[in-house]
Amino acid sequence: MSVVRVEHLQLNYERDAQRVEALRGISFDVNAGERVAIIGRSGGGKSSLMRVLSGLLSPSAGTVEAAGFRMEAGRLPPRAMYEQVGLVFQNYGLVPQLSALQNVLCGRLLHQRSASSLLHFPGEDRDQARALLEELGLGERLHTRSSRLSGGEQQRVAIARLLHQNPRVMLLDEPIASLDVHWARMAIERLAGGGPQSAERALIMVMHDLNMARQFATRVIVLHHGEILFDGDPDQGCRLLEELESRDATDGEVEIAVNEAAADATAPSDASAPAPLPIDGLWGKTSFYVVLMLLIAGLYIWSAMGVDFSVARIFGNADHAANFLSRMLPPDFSVSANVGKSLLETVQMALIGTTLAAIVSLPIATLAARNISARPFQVVARLILNLLRTIPSIIWGLFFVAIVGLGPFPGILALTFYAAGYLGKFYYEGIESIDPRPLQALRTVGATPLQRFRFGVFPQVLPLMLGYTLYMLEYNVRAASILGVVGAGGIGFYLYTYINNFQYDRAATALLFLLAVVTVLDAASSRLRARLAG
Ligand SMILES: Nc1ncnc2c1ncn2[C@@H]1O[C@H](COP(=O)(O)OP(=O)(O)OP(=O)(O)O)[C@@H](O)[C@H]1O
């Protein structure tokens, strides 16, 4: 009984405004119980075929039917197909920050319908995932982050995930390339299912190792330049490819020899003679840089004149500066109690403001990220974040003092709004920089968009987000220290009052306290951020 039917399948890519025909109208059927190896030279279209069979790309023309689900031009399959069709990616497609066990559990995402599955998987699923990993020799690595596993171990985790998904059609893009013969045999036998299951399953595997293809496949398809060159007996197919490869290798040698001869013939007779200097080009470049430097210098002079910038004014008023500094010393520590209390309030404001900003900005950033959100949401979310960022925290402070009155509360709101603008930008840029391959893999286990965010995006971006949030906290302590100027709480109130009343020795105490707190916080935050980055 055929479980995969491919008819006149074409797949084109666009590259540099040119059409690349990766698959040129191929047709074949695969029956339950078959183990088909797709082999061929590099660029022949093997991975492209896998992407279409797994529903990651829709055909440019022709149709594909996998386990009863039909795909055609512009039509991707429904999520339900992944109950029947699964894929092991060439690059494994594991989420690097999740453990081996968690990655395998992702194979069951299609079956997890309750919201609680975003936090934990049922015990039965966990037991089965554990057993699969033990079977594949990874019993000691259950809780190891997949990024810390070797290539062969990662490949076995990806195979265990597919086994946990347990589809009828198993697609495998070089599934055993990193495995030794023992684990390769073990994995293929396990995938084929053994017993009654083997009659129901179909394995379609891209393979580079022809010995493995001979050993493990019941049928071989040779893909060459997007066309099927051969479909049938494994030994015959592998021999054909070997011939093709040796013929191409010989052609290559001839080509290289011909090219070398041609290069010799055109080489200048005195190879050691220096090449003449392109005088015109050199002068052109130099004059360009001279003009550029003059323009930049002009820009600085224009700006300095515009703001009446004068070095003489700094040095000419040195006695004022000395007077100002001398009045700060020695600091008046009699105000330590008040200053200490307001400094504590400053830190509390920054802590609450930053936390609220992180909570507010995460959903907005998710909507703003190009790789996971739709265009209209991106535009609106980015506009909101731009607006929040454009207004300085002190102006937000003024707004909120006018709305809710004096005290630290409007200060917290000001910090929340201002920091949310920055954090949102940092977060969405972080989300856009994640590795897209694990997300694709989660699509092929039938994960919902929310599940893809929870298990694919969030673990990848979390260390980065925590780092940014800590950095924002550092920044917010400084920002909170000035909000008191507009009556929005914190140490700024005392700083402003002391300076206005010419009590510079008291202001010095407030500044020293602030410096101490900021220094301690910076050191702690840098350490934490370094650990998160590692
Ligand atoms: N995203 C893409 N955009 C443009 N062209 C692509 C893209 N992916 C693949 N191609 C082109 O399509 C053709 C088939 O590529 P494909 O990756 O399917 O080959 P392959 O047989 O899997 O190669 P390999 O054995 O090296 O992995 C190649 O010419 C390749 O350059």
Side-chain angles (χ1 to χ4, degrees):
M1 190 188 56
S2 111
V3 284
V4 172
R5 171 158 291 168
V6 176
E7 283 179 338
H8 312 296
L9 171 63
Q10 288 180 30
L11 181 73
N12 304 323
Y13 296 106
E14 284 290 323
R15 189 165 55 200
D16 306 329
Q18 299 234 320
R19 201 165 83 164
V20 180
E21 294 181 356
L23 298 170
R24 303 169 185 234
I26 60 171
S27 302
F28 63 91
D29 280 8
V30 177
N31 292 328
E34 281 196 289
R35 281 181 287 186
V36 182
I38 311 283
I39 60 173
R41 311 266 345 251
S42 180
K46 303 178 294 295
S47 295
S48 302
L49 175 62
M50 287 301 181
R51 280 181 223 138
V52 180
L53 291 179
S54 60
L56 287 174
L57 289 180
S58 73
S60 303
T63 57
V64 170
E65 212 176 292
F69 291 89
R70 194 176 162 83
M71 293 166 256
E72 53 197 13
R75 204 174 103 183
L76 288 175
R79 213 162 61 82
M81 181 183 87
Y82 296 110
E83 220 165 323
Q84 304 287 340
V85 179
L87 170 72
V88 169
F89 287 71
Q90 192 174 16
N91 51 54
Y92 325 126
L94 302 178
V95 185
Q97 292 76 10
L98 296 188
S99 69
L101 187 69
Q102 287 168 320
N103 267 294
V104 176
L105 281 164
C106 285
R108 300 298 294 166
L109 283 177
L110 184 67
H111 304 270
Q112 312 300 322
R113 296 206 163 85
S114 68
S116 65
S117 69
L118 290 174
L119 298 175
H120 61 87
F121 287 86
E124 198 184 314
D125 281 349
R126 297 182 71 84
D127 291 346
Q128 213 183 329
R130 208 172 281 131
L132 282 168
L133 282 169
E134 275 162 9
E135 217 179 311
L136 290 169
L138 293 169
E140 310 273 290
R141 298 271 186 279
L142 296 180
H143 303 293
T144 308
R145 267 175 167 218
S146 65
S147 59
R148 300 204 173 127
L149 297 173
S150 72
E153 288 170 338
Q154 290 189 34
Q155 194 148 45
R156 278 180 273 159
V157 174
I159 290 171
R161 180 172 64 190
L162 182 70
L163 285 167
H164 210 8
Q165 188 182 349
N166 196 23
R168 268 176 80 202
V169 178
M170 293 186 159
L171 306 166
L172 304 120
D173 199 345
E174 297 191 39
I176 48 176
S178 310
L179 302 185
D180 58 31
V181 178
H182 167 76
W183 285 118
R185 180 180 300 282
M186 171 79 188
I188 296 284
E189 278 169 4
R190 189 63 181 76
L191 287 163
Q197 268 190 329
S198 62
E200 288 164 26
R201 274 189 187 157
L203 259 60
I204 305 179
M205 321 172 266
V206 172
M207 283 185 154
H208 270 295
D209 186 329
L210 298 185
N211 287 333
M212 297 271 193
R214 281 187 172 99
Q215 270 191 55
F216 299 121
T218 56
R219 173 181 157 199
V220 151
I221 292 179
V222 182
L223 261 189
H224 194 62
H225 294 315
E227 289 175 354
I228 294 183
L229 206 63
F230 175 89
D231 183 351
D233 173 65
D235 194 44
Q236 248 179 297
C238 291
R239 253 186 294 139
L240 179 74
L241 183 60
E242 281 159 354
E243 273 169 32
L244 205 68
E245 283 180 336
S246 66
R247 206 169 57 209
D248 282 3
T250 329
D251 286 355
E253 274 169 28
V254 171
E255 211 169 282
I256 290 166
V258 168
N259 284 345
E260 278 173 358
D264 283 351
T266 54
S269 53
D270 183 2
S272 61
L277 264 182
I279 294 171
D280 284 355
L282 195 69
W283 168 242
K285 263 197 168 176
T286 314
S287 57
F288 169 76
Y289 284 120
V290 169
V291 171
L292 186 70
M293 297 304 278
L294 285 175
L295 274 176
I296 293 174
L299 184 71
Y300 277 109
I301 294 169
W302 172 72
S303 304
M305 283 165 64
V307 296
D308 200 13
F309 185 83
S310 152
V311 178
R313 268 177 76 183
I314 302 175
F315 293 108
N317 290 306
D319 50 334
H320 282 125
N323 177 31
F324 183 83
L325 285 175
S326 70
R327 286 172 66 185
M328 287 182 107
L329 296 173
D332 177 0
F333 287 110
S334 67
V335 291
S336 294
N338 279 345
V339 165
K341 213 170 130 218
S342 67
L343 190 59
L344 219 59
E345 188 179 88
T346 311
V347 175
Q348 289 162 340
M349 282 165 62
L351 187 70
I352 299 175
T354 311
T355 309
L356 289 177
I359 295 169
V360 169
S361 60
L362 181 60
I364 308 179
T366 308
L367 293 175
R370 288 204 177 93
N371 52 341
I372 57 168
S373 168
R375 177 96 185 125
F377 293 129
Q378 289 167 27
V379 174
V380 176
R382 279 165 194 244
L383 259 175
I384 295 174
L385 293 175
N386 280 349
L387 175 75
L388 294 176
R389 230 175 24 249
T390 306
I391 300 173
S393 54
I394 196 143
I395 305 292
W396 280 119
L398 274 172
F399 280 168
F400 287 116
V401 165
I403 296 168
V404 299
L406 293 169
F409 184 57
I412 290 172
L413 293 179
L415 293 176
T416 303
F417 275 63
Y418 178 72
Y422 272 99
L423 279 182
K425 184 172 167 62
F426 293 154
Y427 288 175
Y428 79 66
E429 285 182 355
I431 293 175
E432 284 173 353
S433 68
I434 61 168
D435 183 352
R437 294 170 300 186
L439 293 190
Q440 282 199 335
L442 291 179
R443 258 181 68 190
T444 66
V445 297
T448 60
L450 193 59
Q451 286 172 330
R452 289 207 294 273
F453 182 81
R454 162 65 184 89
F455 294 103
V457 178
F458 194 63
Q460 287 198 64
V461 89
L462 184 64
L464 209 65
M465 283 193 336
L466 287 175
Y468 285 142
T469 312
L470 275 170
Y471 182 71
M472 203 69 226
L473 176 66
E474 276 175 43
Y475 182 83
N476 266 350
V477 172
R478 291 175 176 87
S481 69
I482 199 153
L483 284 170
V485 172
V486 295
I491 198 171
F493 169 75
Y494 285 102
L495 262 173
Y496 185 64
T497 313
Y498 293 151
I499 291 175
N500 262 352
N501 295 338
F502 306 108
Q503 294 166 310
Y504 297 135
D505 48 354
R506 294 186 169 184
T509 307
L511 282 174
L512 278 177
F513 273 51
L514 186 61
L515 181 70
V517 166
V518 166
T519 308
V520 171
L521 200 77
D522 277 10
S525 155
S526 312
R527 278 183 160 219
L528 259 170
R529 280 189 284 124
R531 283 192 70 166
L532 286 169

